[in-house]
Amino acid sequence: MSRRPGLADVAREAGVSLGTASNVLNAPERVRPATREKVHAAIRKLGYGPKSLVFPADTGGEAMGPVEDESRPFLMTLGYVSIDLVARIDTMPHRSDRITSERIARHLGGPAANVAVAAAGLGEPYPLDVELATAIGRDPESLWALERLASAGVRARAIRDPFRDRLSRCMVLLESDGSRTKINEPLTLGELDLLPQLPSYPVRRPSWLHADGYHAEQLFAAAERLKSLGWRISAHDTGLPERFLGPDGLETLVSTLDVTFLSRRTAAKMLGGGLAAEHLTTAMAERLSGMDGRGDVVLTLGPDGAALFPATAEAPVRIAAPMLAIVDATGAGDCLVGTFLAQRLHDTPPEAAARVAVQAASLSTTAEGAQGRIVRFSELDAAATGARVPVKDAVR
């Protein structure tokens, strides 16, 4: 068997030094674009590196990863992908304190990426064709992220290079009781970045466009056109601009989107009340009752489960969560969103989809990292029957 090509072979093929070839992979900003292109071409020709090693700048805006499968419903997510650096600590330190973390681990994260991975990972009987439109660099972390996305069944569409040609990073301070504090670098794709990526053709299969809160506003101007083409659209509240965190913002969201996903903290800000699950559910139901022509609303309540406010029903549906030992709740809400959308694309009724999505979100908290546990429907089916996980009775 012939040996796999090494970086020295790439350098020789491209006619550059070994140091220059290394810089293309690790510090591309130091290398002239023309030289980078030579090295990229050599990598492709020789098949250097893992099979999913790709370079966003070379694709002309095409998606990278699993081949498109038009026999399956299509989900496109817009927004954030990041490198999450998770530090496990006992408790949050006081100002000026110095502490030692048990360990600091690297995980793939970002709300739009988490939603895409959860949706793709649910599996049979809800197979999907999933694509993430985002900003991806050409640094080793970006290439690692592309590999992880591809292995999870998600194509990545590089809208543009991110700031400094690398992925945004998020620091997650994870306490022993599962509490977490997150500090992230910004990633906002502008209107000029997103609009060319939005579909302009009638759908040929069930299709859904979902945005994280950082980019939800970008969908509003195109919402009517997208719906006329057969798309369903939704967003969740992570990164939602402050101007939407009030009664008027709530009305804009639910009247524009087919589904709006809100966390309990966002809902409390919009409604001007406390965080108690029963209070929020009642207050949200009262607020939505006078809104005609709205979409569905899903209110995530953390360990208290979720509440569904169907567009076609006056009474909300409360769904309890399984009783589990939480390791890390980062990305649990994103998992709920992805699982819900995967089922809705197969025409599962909203209430049934929400019940499964709550189970998936709960199971996702039993591993470290936003994508530490990708939950498959086969697991959820077992959990629903009590085979593995004790589940509280859901209440209406």
Side-chain angles (χ1 to χ4, degrees):
M1 180 181 295
S2 60
R3 68 177 182 85
R4 294 182 62 183
L7 192 58
D9 300 307
V10 171
R12 190 178 305 108
E13 176 69 27
V16 300
S17 69
L18 181 60
T20 297
S22 177
N23 280 338
V24 168
L25 294 179
N26 297 291
E29 69 279 0
R30 299 180 183 176
V31 184
R32 289 180 300 177
T35 303
R36 289 202 302 261
E37 293 302 319
K38 290 181 181 179
V39 175
H40 294 173
I43 288 174
R44 287 192 297 268
K45 179 178 179 180
L46 298 177
Y48 170 77
K51 292 181 179 179
S52 56
L53 185 66
V54 291
F55 293 86
D58 298 339
T59 66
E62 296 180 359
M64 300 156 289
V67 176
E68 184 174 359
D69 184 351
E70 292 195 358
S71 69
R72 298 179 174 188
F74 178 49
L75 172 66
M76 174 186 277
T77 64
L78 301 174
Y80 216 117
V81 60
S82 68
I83 297 295
D84 290 354
L85 301 175
V86 180
R88 298 188 65 88
I89 58 178
D90 289 330
T91 58
M92 282 291 291
H94 296 290
R95 180 177 296 176
S96 300
D97 281 356
R98 182 185 181 94
I99 62 172
T100 299
S101 170
E102 175 186 325
R103 62 190 176 89
I104 300 176
R106 179 179 66 167
H107 296 276
L108 188 62
N114 296 339
V115 169
V117 168
L122 189 61
E124 295 291 347
Y126 304 107
L128 291 185
D129 185 25
V130 182
E131 185 170 295
L132 167 67
T134 188
I136 300 176
R138 287 160 286 182
D139 59 305
E141 287 185 340
S142 293
L143 301 178
W144 174 79
L146 287 167
E147 290 181 31
R148 292 294 302 271
L149 290 168
S151 67
V154 176
R155 288 192 307 279
R157 180 179 296 277
I159 293 177
R160 63 168 170 79
D161 290 338
F163 181 61
R164 293 178 180 170
D165 271 337
R166 65 166 174 78
L167 286 188
S168 294
R169 296 169 186 163
C170 178
M171 298 170 57
V172 182
L173 303 180
L174 179 61
E175 299 178 60
S176 56
D177 64 355
S179 301
R180 66 203 189 285
T181 301
K182 294 183 284 186
I183 308 167
N184 63 272
E185 293 179 318
L187 168 63
T188 302
L189 302 170
E191 186 172 327
L192 294 179
D193 297 313
L194 279 180
L195 288 181
Q197 305 299 321
L198 297 181
S200 59
Y201 48 85
V203 301
R204 298 188 298 272
R205 51 180 166 158
S207 300
W208 202 299
L209 189 62
H210 179 83
D212 62 25
Y214 294 98
H215 305 95
E217 191 173 7
Q218 313 288 354
L219 290 183
F220 294 162
E224 185 175 344
R225 176 177 62 83
L226 289 167
K227 289 183 177 181
S228 71
L229 296 172
W231 289 82
R232 286 181 282 180
I233 59 175
S234 60
H236 65 293
D237 61 352
T238 303
L240 199 63
E242 189 72 27
R243 60 183 171 278
F244 289 99
L245 302 182
D248 292 342
L250 173 62
E251 186 165 359
T252 298
L253 289 167
V254 303
S255 63
T256 304
L257 303 171
D258 292 293
V259 185
T260 302
F261 298 90
L262 301 173
S263 68
R264 70 196 309 164
R265 291 188 178 278
T266 297
K269 290 181 180 180
M270 288 177 164
L271 300 171
L275 294 172
E278 294 302 329
H279 168 79
L280 280 176
T281 302
T282 301
M284 182 64 73
E286 292 176 352
R287 178 64 186 170
L288 294 174
S289 63
M291 297 184 188
D292 296 327
R294 68 171 177 85
D296 295 331
V297 176
V298 179
L299 173 60
T300 60
L301 298 167
D304 294 318
L308 170 69
F309 303 84
T312 57
E314 293 185 5
V317 180
R318 273 294 310 280
I319 303 167
M323 297 178 292
L324 300 170
I326 297 175
V327 174
D328 182 4
T330 303
D334 303 332
C335 177
L336 185 149
V337 173
T339 306
F340 183 89
L341 295 180
Q343 296 171 87
R344 292 293 291 126
L345 273 163
H346 285 269
D347 293 326
T348 301
E351 181 177 340
R355 293 188 185 282
V356 169
V358 167
Q359 293 178 17
S362 297
L363 289 176
S364 75
T365 68
T366 60
E368 182 183 288
Q371 299 173 25
R373 180 172 182 178
I374 300 175
V375 182
R376 302 192 66 80
F377 181 76
S378 57
E379 299 176 76
L380 298 172
D381 198 36
T385 62
R388 298 182 184 176
V389 183
V391 182
K392 297 179 182 177
D393 291 333
V395 296
R396 284 188 79 100

